[in-house]
Amino acid sequence: MGGAAPAPRGQLRTIAMRFARHRPAVASLAVLAALAAFAFAGPLLWQWDHTVSSDIPSSAEPSAAHPLGTTSAGNDVLGQLMRGMQQTLKVAFTVTVLATVLGSVWGAVAGYFRGWVDAVMMRLVDVLLIVPLLVVVAAVGGNVRGGTTWYGVALVIAAFSWTPISRVVRGVVLSLREQEFVEAARAAGASHARIILRHLLPNAAGPIIVAATLLIAVAILVEAAMSFLGFGIQAPDISLGLMVQHAKTAAFTRPWLFYPPGLTIVLIALVINFIGDGLRDALDPRQAMVRG
């Protein structure tokens, strides 16, 4: 009686079956898994890493030894692509975890207490939403010590990307707080923190998961843009955005430098969005009915 019961196995099985029926989402999940394996396992199998080597010819076209060619400095582009994907994915998933936790707790507290607490907390969210995310993180990232490391970039992006999730969670909690299981928890003497963490947030898991999934794509694009503008990950390390920045003048003369990282960014963002669509339909069947 103290709270809503956790989702039974049958419900989880139903959600999995709904997701499995969303073919673009399933295919996208497989593609994302393959890309992650390429990024993290590939360097263990490939002989060249992302650094400059005197054994690598400069500005070589794609060949059997270097399938994606080489840079003018003597980097193997395939090795750079693996490392760039690895760093970009680490940033994206770190941002997603940190921003989801912060945004979920912030939105849940605002929606639960309402009144002046809600007004103050959500006005801060509104202010942060007004300022373009890329402008803020680029400005802060360029002035924070350690901002050029992947974890520094992730912390900067996460600090300013949690606001959309907070609005989603607040809206869900505003309706959940009036449910009988919350009243029962209050009657049983549960503290505010326990009600929020044990009862409200678990019951808002569906919208949180969907929002977090879409945030991965946002983080990837923001990190790529930051690195492209010179405010993100910097040499001697590499990211997909930095690879595009280094090759921006070679799009037509040496396309093997420009298109692999650029198309990889687009592909990752695309599959993440398809996965988000599949999760939305699986967790809320009404979404699929509306689209149909």
Side-chain angles (χ1 to χ4, degrees):
M1 297 294 293
R9 292 184 179 180
Q11 184 177 351
L12 296 176
R13 189 179 300 111
T14 300
I15 292 173
M17 291 176 61
R18 291 187 194 132
F19 182 83
R21 286 197 294 267
H22 196 293
R23 294 183 180 179
V26 174
S28 296
L29 185 61
V31 171
L32 182 62
L35 291 173
F38 173 79
F40 290 94
L44 302 177
L45 305 174
W46 187 240
Q47 59 179 323
W48 307 111
D49 60 17
H50 66 287
T51 59
V52 175
S53 173
S54 59
D55 297 325
I56 297 176
S58 61
S59 301
E61 296 185 1
S63 63
H66 304 283
L68 296 181
T70 67
T71 68
S72 58
N75 306 92
D76 177 73
V77 177
L78 182 59
Q80 281 194 322
L81 187 65
M82 292 177 184
R83 175 69 174 187
M85 287 178 59
Q86 185 181 123
Q87 299 301 78
T88 296
L89 289 174
K90 286 195 293 187
V91 169
F93 284 106
T94 301
V95 167
T96 300
V97 171
L98 296 178
T100 298
V101 171
L102 177 57
S104 297
V105 173
W106 190 277
V109 171
Y112 177 76
F113 287 104
R114 299 191 302 184
W116 68 269
V117 175
D118 180 37
V120 171
M121 295 179 72
M122 298 316 294
R123 292 302 77 76
L124 176 60
V125 170
D126 292 339
V127 170
L128 293 176
L129 285 172
I130 292 174
V131 183
L133 176 61
L134 179 58
V135 173
V136 175
V137 296
V140 175
N143 291 280
V144 173
R145 181 178 178 83
T148 56
T149 60
W150 76 264
Y151 51 85
V153 171
L155 289 175
V156 171
I157 298 176
F160 295 95
S161 60
W162 56 271
T163 48
I165 290 182
S166 71
R167 293 180 69 89
V168 171
V169 175
R170 172 185 175 270
V172 175
V173 169
L174 282 174
S175 62
L176 288 177
R177 72 183 304 278
E178 305 301 334
Q179 299 293 321
E180 292 182 358
F181 69 88
V182 176
E183 294 296 335
R186 291 197 189 101
S191 64
H192 296 313
R194 182 177 178 83
I195 292 174
I196 291 173
L197 297 177
R198 291 293 303 274
H199 303 295
L200 293 176
L201 284 177
N203 282 279
I208 291 174
I209 291 172
V210 173
T213 303
L214 299 178
L215 180 58
I216 298 174
V218 173
I220 288 172
L221 295 175
V222 172
E223 185 280 325
M226 286 181 63
S227 296
F228 181 83
L229 296 173
F231 296 105
I233 295 172
Q234 298 294 313
D237 209 340
I238 197 72
S239 73
L240 296 177
L242 189 58
M243 289 181 68
V244 173
Q245 196 273 339
H246 287 166
K248 63 181 183 293
T249 60
F252 298 104
T253 58
R254 288 177 292 167
W256 60 85
L257 300 179
F258 179 83
Y259 288 103
L263 293 176
T264 300
I265 293 171
V266 174
L267 178 61
I268 296 175
L270 187 62
V271 298
I272 290 295
N273 277 284
F274 277 127
I275 293 172
D277 287 343
L279 287 173
R280 183 186 295 110
D281 291 348
L283 294 167
D284 185 3
R286 292 173 297 177
Q287 291 285 344
M289 294 173 62
V290 170
R291 296 186 191 193

